[in-house]
Amino acid sequence: MSENQQHTLMDKIISLSKQRGFIFQSSEIYGGLKSAYDYGPLGVELKRNIMNEWWRSMVHERENIIGIDASIIMHSKVWHASGHLAGFSDPLVDCLISKERFRADKAPQPKLGDELPILCMDKGQAKSFQEIIKKRFNVELKRNGKKLEGLKVISNDSFGFFTDDSNTPLETFQFKGYVSPTFGSPFLSEERQFNLMFRSQIGPVDVLNEISSFINKSEKINEKEIRSGIDEIIKKSAVYLRPETAQAMFVQFQNCQQSMSMKIPFGIAQMGKSFRNEITVEHFIFRSCEFEQMEMEFFVEPGTQKKWLEYWRDARMNWWQSLANNPNKFRYRPHEKDELAHYADACYDIEYEYPWGYDELEGVASRTDYDLKKHEEHSGSKLSYFDQQKQDPETGKNGWRYTPYVIEPAAGATRGLLVYLLDAYHEEKIPNSDGSESSRVVMKFHPKIAPIKTAVLPLVKKEGLPEIARDIVSKFFKAGINARYDEQHSIGKRYRRHDEAGTPYCITIDGQTKEDGTVTIRDRDSMKQERMNAENVVDIIQKKLSLS
Ligand code: GAP
């Protein structure tokens, strides 16, 4: 796919999402909140269907997995123990010219001898950046349309300013090894650590009061001391929005295992919201600050983790593929040693071929006994397992107490939703009755995740047809099938609308229905229509849905 086509597909998905009610920009009437999205009438159904399918396949269909629904705000010691408070941070840098803030570890890294053009949005911006650079750094870069030229990397830690006719730099500056991603600017601030967790305060403590009296009482202290003093005050009542759903499963390991008499190997599953103050928010809902996860911690005997890692890698891959039109767009990628998270001894990413290339959809990690051990250490509670049937490998005696190892399939539910939007999107040319062609957009969702399962459409809004249609809809409701009554616009427009919503079956009530009690069922993908008895329609759709 060319770069242009990639952009177009993403643009089309974003526009269809808004038009059809899948996803809206959060707080749009106030100008929108960056990186926050609202799931509209079709989006909420699609998201729930994906998550319910995950729950069914992970919890309901397995006797060795149980579920929990833990609170989003947990004790702050949880995040100390898990390492998130210490290590959950990104190195951040500001461009001194454009004020762009970005992650240093993700920035482009020009090589020795490379030119460093500053790429502006337009000529006006080029002029203004040229002036800022002249004022702050005392060099006048050459303006070439939207580009500012004259900078070049001269060593690992320096870049220089050159004029057209000189090979020696007129001025040199410290080079950090990377440039800002949007403008390519090497004029950068120092790196700062930035915690990705959203912090808030719990309880009746008046933090502002404590801070102001601390500042009031402190004489002659420097900025660093003020900062650390304020930090100490805030920390006392600080709580954090969870950045992953996983930790609750470790913290509740003992309660879950004992209350349900679970035997190893067994798993605890949870799905729900997670929050990260992401610096790089990108690709629509791919990376956002508020998102949903579907995670499962599978507790296994030490030494068996490799076998279970492979088992879950394959099981999870099969699940994603089973709901997709294009299973060949998924692949897995083992992590290199240097990209493993601090708690993992091995990991596979399940990746999808997004319009910008292969990228992560789910991580399946072998998390060792790191988390249980850490929580045991910080809480003082025993988080181990006793197997009466096994011999302790160290003593040779019957009965073995050990800290289980953990395999964790951790998927993004909202990211999965983006994958299935991309996977479902189809444009087709279809013949008209007069021999000409028109095009239709059809969202070929797997019927299990389709937001609306069937639409019931009276051909006209009179002659008793709406009453028959509503009666059929109520039968679908009784059968637990999400059906929708729809009488707005011509029948052709309604079919197109439901093609774009991804509704697998449309049932049309027409004049003949009144004569012989039959209706037509239109298949979304083939557009073929079958006529059948209205009495059987709920059973038939039910059968089609369960067979799909
Ligand atoms: N407990 C392990 C864990 O949270 P992760 O790779 O950071 O691992 C798991 O997250 C999945 O959650 C990712 O594969 C991705 O699908 C989803 N995810 C993570 N950060 C996200 C974000 N900012 N926006 C949307 N989805 C995200």
Short mmCIF file of all heavy atoms in Angstrom, two decimals, residues 130-175:
data_model
loop_
_atom_site.label_atom_id
_atom_site.label_comp_id
_atom_site.label_asym_id
_atom_site.label_seq_id
_atom_site.Cartn_x
_atom_site.Cartn_y
_atom_site.Cartn_z
N GLN A 130 13.64 31.39 12.04
CA GLN A 130 14.96 31.95 11.70
C GLN A 130 15.31 33.08 12.69
O GLN A 130 16.43 33.16 13.19
CB GLN A 130 14.91 32.49 10.27
CG GLN A 130 16.25 32.94 9.75
CD GLN A 130 16.10 33.69 8.44
OE1 GLN A 130 15.14 34.45 8.25
NE2 GLN A 130 17.06 33.48 7.54
N GLU A 131 14.30 33.91 12.98
CA GLU A 131 14.53 35.04 13.89
C GLU A 131 14.81 34.57 15.32
O GLU A 131 15.70 35.07 16.00
CB GLU A 131 13.32 35.99 13.87
CG GLU A 131 13.35 36.89 12.66
CD GLU A 131 11.99 37.52 12.35
OE1 GLU A 131 11.09 37.46 13.22
OE2 GLU A 131 11.83 38.03 11.23
N ILE A 132 14.01 33.54 15.76
CA ILE A 132 14.22 33.03 17.13
C ILE A 132 15.64 32.49 17.27
O ILE A 132 16.35 32.74 18.25
CB ILE A 132 13.19 31.91 17.47
CG1 ILE A 132 11.77 32.47 17.42
CG2 ILE A 132 13.47 31.28 18.83
CD1 ILE A 132 10.67 31.41 17.52
N ILE A 133 16.07 31.71 16.25
CA ILE A 133 17.40 31.09 16.31
C ILE A 133 18.49 32.18 16.33
O ILE A 133 19.46 32.10 17.09
CB ILE A 133 17.60 30.10 15.13
CG1 ILE A 133 16.65 28.91 15.32
CG2 ILE A 133 19.05 29.61 15.04
CD1 ILE A 133 16.49 28.01 14.12
N LYS A 134 18.28 33.21 15.50
CA LYS A 134 19.28 34.29 15.44
C LYS A 134 19.38 34.98 16.81
O LYS A 134 20.49 35.22 17.32
CB LYS A 134 18.85 35.30 14.38
CG LYS A 134 19.91 36.33 14.15
CD LYS A 134 19.64 37.15 12.94
CE LYS A 134 20.75 38.21 12.88
NZ LYS A 134 20.33 39.38 12.19
N LYS A 135 18.23 35.22 17.42
CA LYS A 135 18.22 35.92 18.71
C LYS A 135 18.84 35.07 19.82
O LYS A 135 19.66 35.53 20.60
CB LYS A 135 16.76 36.22 19.07
CG LYS A 135 16.59 37.44 19.89
CD LYS A 135 15.15 37.86 19.77
CE LYS A 135 14.74 38.70 20.96
NZ LYS A 135 13.31 38.87 21.00
N ARG A 136 18.48 33.75 19.85
CA ARG A 136 18.93 32.91 20.97
C ARG A 136 20.31 32.33 20.76
O ARG A 136 21.06 32.13 21.72
CB ARG A 136 17.95 31.75 21.20
CG ARG A 136 16.66 32.20 21.83
CD ARG A 136 15.90 31.04 22.38
NE ARG A 136 16.57 30.40 23.50
CZ ARG A 136 15.99 29.54 24.30
NH1 ARG A 136 14.74 29.20 24.10
NH2 ARG A 136 16.65 28.99 25.30
N PHE A 137 20.67 32.04 19.48
CA PHE A 137 21.93 31.31 19.26
C PHE A 137 22.91 32.08 18.38
O PHE A 137 23.97 31.57 18.04
CB PHE A 137 21.62 29.92 18.67
CG PHE A 137 20.76 29.10 19.58
CD1 PHE A 137 19.40 29.01 19.38
CD2 PHE A 137 21.31 28.47 20.68
CE1 PHE A 137 18.60 28.27 20.23
CE2 PHE A 137 20.52 27.73 21.55
CZ PHE A 137 19.16 27.63 21.33
N ASN A 138 22.49 33.27 17.98
CA ASN A 138 23.41 34.15 17.26
C ASN A 138 23.90 33.59 15.93
O ASN A 138 25.05 33.82 15.54
CB ASN A 138 24.60 34.47 18.19
CG ASN A 138 25.18 35.81 17.86
OD1 ASN A 138 24.50 36.63 17.24
ND2 ASN A 138 26.42 36.03 18.26
N VAL A 139 23.09 32.79 15.26
CA VAL A 139 23.43 32.36 13.90
C VAL A 139 22.22 32.59 13.00
O VAL A 139 21.08 32.44 13.45
CB VAL A 139 23.84 30.86 13.81
CG1 VAL A 139 25.19 30.61 14.43
CG2 VAL A 139 22.79 29.95 14.43
N GLU A 140 22.49 32.98 11.74
CA GLU A 140 21.38 33.23 10.83
C GLU A 140 21.31 32.12 9.79
O GLU A 140 22.08 32.08 8.83
CB GLU A 140 21.53 34.60 10.15
CG GLU A 140 20.30 34.91 9.32
CD GLU A 140 20.18 36.41 9.02
OE1 GLU A 140 21.06 37.18 9.43
OE2 GLU A 140 19.20 36.77 8.35
N LEU A 141 20.38 31.16 10.00
CA LEU A 141 20.26 30.05 9.06
C LEU A 141 19.71 30.56 7.73
O LEU A 141 18.99 31.55 7.68
CB LEU A 141 19.31 28.97 9.60
CG LEU A 141 19.67 28.33 10.96
CD1 LEU A 141 18.85 27.08 11.19
CD2 LEU A 141 21.15 27.96 11.02
N LYS A 142 20.05 29.81 6.65
CA LYS A 142 19.59 30.23 5.33
C LYS A 142 18.15 29.75 5.13
O LYS A 142 17.85 28.59 5.41
CB LYS A 142 20.51 29.60 4.28
CG LYS A 142 20.24 30.08 2.90
CD LYS A 142 21.24 29.46 1.94
CE LYS A 142 20.70 29.55 0.54
NZ LYS A 142 21.40 28.66 -0.36
N ARG A 143 17.29 30.65 4.66
CA ARG A 143 15.90 30.26 4.40
C ARG A 143 15.77 29.78 2.97
O ARG A 143 16.16 30.46 2.03
CB ARG A 143 14.96 31.46 4.62
CG ARG A 143 14.06 31.18 5.76
CD ARG A 143 13.03 32.24 6.02
NE ARG A 143 13.48 33.61 5.99
CZ ARG A 143 12.88 34.54 5.26
NH1 ARG A 143 11.87 34.25 4.48
NH2 ARG A 143 13.32 35.78 5.29
N ASN A 144 15.22 28.56 2.79
CA ASN A 144 15.01 28.03 1.45
C ASN A 144 13.56 27.54 1.41
O ASN A 144 13.27 26.40 1.76
CB ASN A 144 16.01 26.88 1.22
CG ASN A 144 15.86 26.28 -0.16
OD1 ASN A 144 15.03 26.74 -0.96
ND2 ASN A 144 16.65 25.25 -0.44
N GLY A 145 12.64 28.44 1.06
CA GLY A 145 11.20 28.13 1.13
C GLY A 145 10.82 27.86 2.57
O GLY A 145 11.00 28.70 3.44
N LYS A 146 10.31 26.61 2.82
CA LYS A 146 9.87 26.28 4.18
C LYS A 146 11.02 25.73 5.03
O LYS A 146 10.83 25.33 6.17
CB LYS A 146 8.77 25.22 4.12
CG LYS A 146 7.50 25.72 3.43
CD LYS A 146 6.36 24.75 3.61
CE LYS A 146 6.42 23.62 2.62
NZ LYS A 146 5.29 22.70 2.71
N LYS A 147 12.23 25.62 4.41
CA LYS A 147 13.36 24.97 5.09
C LYS A 147 14.36 25.99 5.63
O LYS A 147 14.60 27.01 4.99
CB LYS A 147 14.10 24.11 4.06
CG LYS A 147 14.00 22.63 4.33
CD LYS A 147 15.00 21.86 3.52
CE LYS A 147 14.46 21.37 2.20
NZ LYS A 147 15.48 20.67 1.40
N LEU A 148 14.97 25.67 6.78
CA LEU A 148 16.10 26.46 7.27
C LEU A 148 17.34 25.60 7.16
O LEU A 148 17.36 24.47 7.67
CB LEU A 148 15.87 26.88 8.73
CG LEU A 148 14.71 27.83 8.99
CD1 LEU A 148 14.57 28.12 10.48
CD2 LEU A 148 14.90 29.14 8.23
N GLU A 149 18.38 26.11 6.49
CA GLU A 149 19.55 25.28 6.20
C GLU A 149 20.81 25.86 6.82
O GLU A 149 20.85 27.03 7.19
CB GLU A 149 19.72 25.17 4.68
CG GLU A 149 18.57 24.45 4.04
CD GLU A 149 18.66 24.48 2.51
OE1 GLU A 149 19.31 25.39 1.95
OE2 GLU A 149 18.06 23.59 1.89
N GLY A 150 21.85 25.00 6.87
CA GLY A 150 23.16 25.47 7.34
C GLY A 150 23.70 24.67 8.52
O GLY A 150 24.85 24.86 8.91
N LEU A 151 22.90 23.76 9.08
CA LEU A 151 23.38 22.98 10.24
C LEU A 151 23.78 21.59 9.79
O LEU A 151 23.19 21.02 8.88
CB LEU A 151 22.27 22.88 11.30
CG LEU A 151 21.73 24.21 11.83
CD1 LEU A 151 20.57 23.98 12.78
CD2 LEU A 151 22.84 25.00 12.54
N LYS A 152 24.81 21.05 10.45
CA LYS A 152 25.30 19.71 10.09
C LYS A 152 25.89 19.04 11.33
O LYS A 152 26.48 19.72 12.19
CB LYS A 152 26.40 19.88 9.04
CG LYS A 152 26.66 18.64 8.21
CD LYS A 152 27.92 18.75 7.40
CE LYS A 152 27.76 19.53 6.11
NZ LYS A 152 29.00 19.50 5.30
N VAL A 153 25.74 17.69 11.41
CA VAL A 153 26.33 16.94 12.53
C VAL A 153 27.84 16.86 12.30
O VAL A 153 28.27 16.40 11.25
CB VAL A 153 25.77 15.50 12.63
CG1 VAL A 153 26.34 14.77 13.84
CG2 VAL A 153 24.25 15.51 12.67
N ILE A 154 28.64 17.32 13.29
CA ILE A 154 30.10 17.24 13.07
C ILE A 154 30.79 16.22 13.98
O ILE A 154 31.89 15.80 13.71
CB ILE A 154 30.78 18.62 13.17
CG1 ILE A 154 30.36 19.37 14.42
CG2 ILE A 154 30.54 19.44 11.92
CD1 ILE A 154 31.04 20.74 14.54
N SER A 155 30.12 15.81 15.06
CA SER A 155 30.66 14.72 15.87
C SER A 155 29.50 14.13 16.66
O SER A 155 28.37 14.60 16.54
CB SER A 155 31.73 15.23 16.84
OG SER A 155 31.10 15.92 17.91
N ASN A 156 29.80 13.09 17.46
CA ASN A 156 28.71 12.45 18.21
C ASN A 156 28.00 13.42 19.14
O ASN A 156 26.83 13.25 19.44
CB ASN A 156 29.27 11.30 19.06
CG ASN A 156 29.56 10.12 18.17
OD1 ASN A 156 29.06 10.06 17.04
ND2 ASN A 156 30.37 9.20 18.67
N ASP A 157 28.76 14.44 19.60
CA ASP A 157 28.10 15.34 20.54
C ASP A 157 28.16 16.81 20.13
O ASP A 157 28.03 17.70 20.96
CB ASP A 157 28.66 15.14 21.96
CG ASP A 157 30.17 15.30 21.99
OD1 ASP A 157 30.72 15.74 20.96
OD2 ASP A 157 30.77 14.97 23.01
N SER A 158 28.37 17.06 18.83
CA SER A 158 28.29 18.46 18.40
C SER A 158 27.74 18.61 16.98
O SER A 158 27.90 17.72 16.14
CB SER A 158 29.66 19.14 18.51
OG SER A 158 30.55 18.55 17.60
N PHE A 159 27.06 19.74 16.78
CA PHE A 159 26.67 20.09 15.40
C PHE A 159 27.14 21.52 15.16
O PHE A 159 27.40 22.28 16.11
CB PHE A 159 25.17 19.91 15.16
CG PHE A 159 24.26 20.83 15.93
CD1 PHE A 159 23.81 22.03 15.37
CD2 PHE A 159 23.84 20.51 17.21
CE1 PHE A 159 22.95 22.87 16.06
CE2 PHE A 159 22.97 21.35 17.92
CZ PHE A 159 22.53 22.52 17.36
N GLY A 160 27.29 21.83 13.87
CA GLY A 160 27.85 23.14 13.56
C GLY A 160 26.99 23.92 12.59
O GLY A 160 26.12 23.36 11.91
N PHE A 161 27.27 25.24 12.54
CA PHE A 161 26.60 26.10 11.57
C PHE A 161 27.60 26.45 10.48
O PHE A 161 28.69 26.95 10.76
CB PHE A 161 26.10 27.37 12.27
CG PHE A 161 25.64 28.42 11.30
CD1 PHE A 161 24.58 28.16 10.44
CD2 PHE A 161 26.25 29.66 11.23
CE1 PHE A 161 24.16 29.12 9.53
CE2 PHE A 161 25.83 30.63 10.32
CZ PHE A 161 24.78 30.35 9.47
N PHE A 162 27.22 26.13 9.23
CA PHE A 162 28.10 26.36 8.09
C PHE A 162 27.42 27.34 7.12
O PHE A 162 26.21 27.28 6.95
CB PHE A 162 28.35 25.05 7.31
CG PHE A 162 29.05 23.99 8.12
CD1 PHE A 162 28.36 23.22 9.06
CD2 PHE A 162 30.41 23.74 7.95
CE1 PHE A 162 29.00 22.24 9.79
CE2 PHE A 162 31.06 22.76 8.67
CZ PHE A 162 30.35 22.00 9.61
N THR A 163 28.25 28.20 6.48
CA THR A 163 27.69 28.99 5.37
C THR A 163 28.06 28.28 4.07
O THR A 163 28.90 27.37 4.07
CB THR A 163 28.26 30.42 5.36
OG1 THR A 163 29.67 30.32 5.43
CG2 THR A 163 27.73 31.24 6.50
N ASP A 164 27.43 28.69 2.97
CA ASP A 164 27.63 28.01 1.67
C ASP A 164 29.08 27.81 1.31
O ASP A 164 29.49 26.78 0.81
CB ASP A 164 26.98 28.85 0.55
CG ASP A 164 25.49 28.63 0.53
OD1 ASP A 164 25.05 27.65 1.17
OD2 ASP A 164 24.77 29.43 -0.09
N ASP A 165 29.89 28.85 1.58
CA ASP A 165 31.27 28.82 1.06
C ASP A 165 32.30 28.39 2.10
O ASP A 165 33.48 28.61 1.92
CB ASP A 165 31.62 30.20 0.48
CG ASP A 165 31.23 31.31 1.46
OD1 ASP A 165 30.75 30.96 2.56
OD2 ASP A 165 31.41 32.49 1.11
N SER A 166 31.87 27.77 3.18
CA SER A 166 32.91 27.38 4.15
C SER A 166 32.75 25.93 4.59
O SER A 166 31.62 25.42 4.66
CB SER A 166 32.87 28.30 5.36
OG SER A 166 32.23 27.67 6.43
N ASN A 167 33.91 25.28 4.81
CA ASN A 167 33.89 23.89 5.29
C ASN A 167 34.09 23.81 6.79
O ASN A 167 33.99 22.74 7.36
CB ASN A 167 35.00 23.08 4.60
CG ASN A 167 34.58 22.74 3.19
OD1 ASN A 167 33.39 22.56 2.93
ND2 ASN A 167 35.55 22.68 2.29
N THR A 168 34.46 24.94 7.35
CA THR A 168 34.61 24.95 8.82
C THR A 168 33.41 25.68 9.44
O THR A 168 32.96 26.69 8.91
CB THR A 168 35.92 25.66 9.25
OG1 THR A 168 36.06 26.80 8.45
CG2 THR A 168 37.11 24.77 9.18
N PRO A 169 32.93 25.10 10.53
CA PRO A 169 31.73 25.72 11.11
C PRO A 169 32.01 27.10 11.70
O PRO A 169 33.07 27.32 12.29
CB PRO A 169 31.34 24.73 12.22
CG PRO A 169 32.57 23.95 12.52
CD PRO A 169 33.41 23.94 11.28
N LEU A 170 31.05 28.00 11.52
CA LEU A 170 31.20 29.34 12.11
C LEU A 170 30.87 29.30 13.60
O LEU A 170 31.31 30.14 14.37
CB LEU A 170 30.26 30.32 11.41
CG LEU A 170 30.52 30.57 9.94
CD1 LEU A 170 29.60 31.65 9.41
CD2 LEU A 170 31.98 30.98 9.72
N GLU A 171 30.06 28.29 13.96
CA GLU A 171 29.64 28.17 15.36
C GLU A 171 29.36 26.70 15.63
O GLU A 171 28.92 25.98 14.73
CB GLU A 171 28.35 28.99 15.54
CG GLU A 171 27.97 29.31 16.96
CD GLU A 171 28.92 30.28 17.63
OE1 GLU A 171 29.02 31.45 17.19
OE2 GLU A 171 29.58 29.83 18.57
N THR A 172 29.65 26.21 16.84
CA THR A 172 29.29 24.82 17.16
C THR A 172 28.39 24.80 18.39
O THR A 172 28.45 25.69 19.24
CB THR A 172 30.54 23.94 17.42
OG1 THR A 172 31.24 24.52 18.49
CG2 THR A 172 31.40 23.75 16.23
N PHE A 173 27.59 23.73 18.46
CA PHE A 173 26.62 23.57 19.56
C PHE A 173 26.65 22.12 20.03
O PHE A 173 27.03 21.22 19.28
CB PHE A 173 25.19 23.89 19.07
CG PHE A 173 25.06 25.25 18.48
CD1 PHE A 173 25.23 25.46 17.10
CD2 PHE A 173 24.76 26.36 19.29
CE1 PHE A 173 25.09 26.71 16.55
CE2 PHE A 173 24.64 27.62 18.74
CZ PHE A 173 24.81 27.80 17.37
N GLN A 174 26.14 21.93 21.26
CA GLN A 174 26.09 20.57 21.79
C GLN A 174 24.98 19.78 21.08
O GLN A 174 23.87 20.30 20.91
CB GLN A 174 25.78 20.63 23.29
CG GLN A 174 26.09 19.31 23.96
CD GLN A 174 25.28 19.14 25.24
OE1 GLN A 174 24.39 19.92 25.55
NE2 GLN A 174 25.61 18.10 25.96
N PHE A 175 25.33 18.55 20.64
CA PHE A 175 24.36 17.70 19.93
C PHE A 175 23.94 16.56 20.84
O PHE A 175 24.78 15.89 21.45
CB PHE A 175 25.01 17.16 18.64
CG PHE A 175 24.10 16.33 17.80
CD1 PHE A 175 22.82 16.78 17.46
CD2 PHE A 175 24.50 15.07 17.33
CE1 PHE A 175 21.96 16.02 16.67
CE2 PHE A 175 23.66 14.31 16.54
CZ PHE A 175 22.39 14.78 16.21
#
